[in-house]
Amino acid sequence: MSITIRLIQEEKDLETVAKLAEKIWSRTYKEILSQEQMAYMLEMMYDLSVTTREVRDGVRFELICDGEKPIGFISYGPYADGVAKLHKLYLDYNYHGKGIGSMALRHVIGETRAAGYKFLRLNVNKQNKDAIRAYERNGFKLFEKVKVDIGGGFYMDDYVYQHAL
């Protein structure tokens, strides 16, 4: 296994992110979200026009690869004064439990610290117990609880976690 993280620089890589999201979300959220909400959110968050705009607005998308094979992705960027946000961190289930998620978190922490941010925040679904444990293991602390109306009659019921940089 040769794990690397590389900046997305081509449109085809954003298409790869969307395909990975669809595959990973179907397993991650099958017991948490309805099929309708998953479809709605995947379109809302991973449509090429959305991810292209986010990149243009300063959000970094990076692929996590095993050799040349994309196995996951991260995205992060500016959020508030002194605060960066980890928008997405998803990894193919075949690669869970191997320290790759923690490696990706350390990467984002290092990048955002080097960019001068004081805090890194993220939202995690309150029912996503595996992700919550991983974030807590990596030094993230509960910051607040939020319930966000995302349209279409759907809500994101999340914990917000924060890591001091």
Side-chain angles (χ1 to χ4, degrees), residues 4-46:
T4 58
I5 298 174
R6 69 172 175 83
L7 183 64
I8 288 176
Q9 297 179 326
E10 299 180 34
E11 189 174 286
K12 71 178 176 65
D13 289 334
L14 290 173
E15 293 167 357
T16 299
V17 164
K19 288 175 187 159
L20 282 166
E22 191 170 335
K23 175 184 176 189
I24 294 168
W25 273 48
S26 66
R27 179 158 179 189
T28 300
Y29 295 113
K30 71 180 175 190
E31 304 295 326
I32 298 172
L33 303 175
S34 68
Q35 289 295 321
E36 295 80 14
Q37 183 165 350
M38 265 195 280
Y40 178 85
M41 291 179 69
L42 284 166
E43 176 77 17
M44 179 185 85
M45 298 169 74
Y46 295 99

Side-chain angles (χ1 to χ4, degrees), residues 90-123:
Y90 290 101
L91 187 62
D92 184 301
Y93 265 80
N94 295 320
Y95 289 85
H96 281 208
K98 300 177 187 306
I100 299 166
S102 291
M103 179 188 89
L105 283 172
R106 286 190 304 274
H107 169 78
V108 174
I109 289 166
E111 291 290 313
T112 53
R113 181 182 290 132
Y117 292 100
K118 302 297 180 211
F119 298 97
L120 177 62
R121 281 192 199 148
L122 60 86
N123 286 41

Side-chain angles (χ1 to χ4, degrees), residues 16 21 28-29 36 42 53 63 71 83 110 118 136 158-159:
T16 299
T28 300
Y29 295 113
E36 295 80 14
L42 284 166
R53 183 181 65 248
L63 282 175
I71 60 167
V83 181
K118 302 297 180 211
E136 289 176 347
D158 291 349
Y159 291 127

Side-chain angles (χ1 to χ4, degrees), residues 54-159:
E54 288 178 341
V55 168
R56 195 174 47 244
D57 292 344
V59 174
R60 289 176 64 104
F61 278 81
E62 297 175 342
L63 282 175
I64 304 168
C65 298
D66 180 2
E68 294 297 313
K69 177 185 176 188
I71 60 167
F73 60 94
I74 50 182
S75 76
Y76 57 96
Y79 180 65
D81 190 35
V83 181
K85 182 153 187 182
L86 174 62
H87 297 285
K88 300 165 180 61
L89 190 166
Y90 290 101
L91 187 62
D92 184 301
Y93 265 80
N94 295 320
Y95 289 85
H96 281 208
K98 300 177 187 306
I100 299 166
S102 291
M103 179 188 89
L105 283 172
R106 286 190 304 274
H107 169 78
V108 174
I109 289 166
E111 291 290 313
T112 53
R113 181 182 290 132
Y117 292 100
K118 302 297 180 211
F119 298 97
L120 177 62
R121 281 192 199 148
L122 60 86
N123 286 41
V124 59
N125 185 289
K126 289 177 182 174
Q127 296 180 57
N128 192 344
K129 304 299 183 201
D130 291 340
I132 290 167
R133 278 192 298 276
Y135 293 132
E136 289 176 347
R137 255 193 335 266
N138 282 279
F140 284 82
K141 306 288 185 214
L142 182 62
F143 181 74
E144 66 181 337
K145 300 172 186 179
V146 296
K147 188 168 185 176
V148 180
D149 183 343
I150 59 170
F154 300 115
Y155 291 85
M156 291 192 330
D157 194 14
D158 291 349
Y159 291 127

